[in-house]
Amino acid sequence: MTEFTHYDQHAKELVTQYESLSFEEVHAGLLDLLPAPGSTILDVGAGSGRDAAWLASHGYDVVAVEPSDTMRSQARELHGSQHIHWLSDSLPDLAQVRRLGLTFDLILLSAVWMHVQPAARARALRKLATLLAPSGRIAISLRLGKPDTARAMYEVTLHELSGHAQQFGLRLLRASDSADRLGRPGIAWTTAVFGLPDDGIGALPLLRHLVLVDEKSSTYKIALLRIVARIADTAGGCARHEADHVALPMGLAALFWMRMYKPLIENGLPQMPLSRAGTKPGFVTDSFNALRLIHPVELRVGAVFEGDTARHLHRSLWEIARTIRQMPAKYLCWPASSESIFDIHALRQTAAPSRLVIDEPFLWSFGELRVPLQIWQALTRYNVWVEPVLVTEWVRLIESYAAKRLPDSGQGAHALLAWADPERDTRIARAAVARLREAGKSVYCVWSGQRLRDDYDVDHCFPFAAWPCGDAWNLLPASKKINNEKSNRLVTQAALEYASDRITSWWADAFLSVDSDASRRFFLEAGQTLPLLTDRAQVSDVIDAMKVHRIRLAKDQGLRPWEPRRAAPTADMSVPRPHHGGVLLTE
């Protein structure tokens, strides 16, 4: 799908044509295969939005992909459901979809496959397979008949499609034929439905081999795997998605390495056999030791360090990056092969600064760590199970290295290997409320619109107990009654949509209009933890990213939904107002 001019030029006519048919007419053979309501569906080549709208109205969250700007614009006007998330993207790569970090229970390609160039079809199907949930389905309708060259069409067959599917572990579950619903002569349709016998990418067996079977002379291999797992789970917004891999900032890998190893080294837990000469890890230099007073949780994006601390941190991170490149990244290999799984593109070391800001340019200045796509996706989806296995194996290695010298090392190691999550701290939001009130401004509950008195709460939009995040974008003023009612439940898509204007107004007043540093930090934190955000994100982009992340949390965490009861407006309630303009993150 590389040419969309015809669809831009004839959008109005095509929308009318597509809307003349119903979902049930076109996809009668799929109705009994639809996943349970609440599932996530990807509609590739969504056209007029007819199918996406029907699916959304039946309880599904839909990511609708349409590369034609004109078609997509008309579809959004025609079908404004809050359960449809529109993207400008296309096969074969679906780069924007992959950045979401979602997997889908159904992937629908209705009248799309004939637009994919034959040479790109295998790559396109591979990408679709990696986006599929373990029990998901891919439904592809094939247009049989003479291709319409005016619309960049190519001949398709079920035999060719099934051959590609077999390469990626997809098996044909159903094939059904139907006449052309518009009555066009010489045209017929076959709908093919494919599924995965397992996770479809072979990454989980590989990870199991690396964790439990692969030979280890230190804890370094486990550490690198856990670093990638932690970034996939908590900092996926930092990733750059390429055709067959994900690139991560090497500085972030080094930072996470330091956060994990610092408590272990400072408490004397061995990371390699004591019988080896020079058992102190090579990255434990004078600069590493000089950072003893820095708590691991302080080593995070947005932090600022000055003077000797900045210089020691800079040098230590470079030494860690060198260790990762020369040791675990080099020796973590594909089974029965000497080929490294992870590829590191290193940059030349720079001079240590007197002031260091841990931001995106700094983290990328160390180079990049390239992670195979299937491993990244497995860790993104299944880290809740993978990371405990990694920690258990790390503890086992420490116990074996310590032997009888550290009889309590197992229990101590488990405690010291616990990831240092941020504390439940809402002071930045409370300080903003105080500042606004001193300036004579009112503050409103984002969920109800009620003007807040002195007795109020700061709510974590996404529950801290399930997903520890104290970033400014996640801290919202709320009435005590509503916050208690919400508790650890997950806000619904409808409630998030309803509150969007009040949320963006709060952000603007509390953080984005303070100074450039506060605004920069706001977007820096959001860009690390939320999908889709670029270095020129606007507040509307943050809201959209929150909606996508809410789907992931609902899917992965199984949180109970929450939606506030909407009361009639009173004199003490604000009327949602549109934001006065996007705030850009500038360099």
Side-chain angles (χ1 to χ4, degrees), residues 134 233 292 386 505:
D233 190 51
R292 191 175 184 88
V386 172
S505 294

Side-chain angles (χ1 to χ4, degrees), residues 369-383:
L369 169 65
R370 295 168 183 168
V371 181
L373 184 61
Q374 66 267 39
I375 292 180
W376 174 261
Q377 291 177 328
L379 292 173
T380 300
R381 301 172 195 174
Y382 307 117
N383 185 54

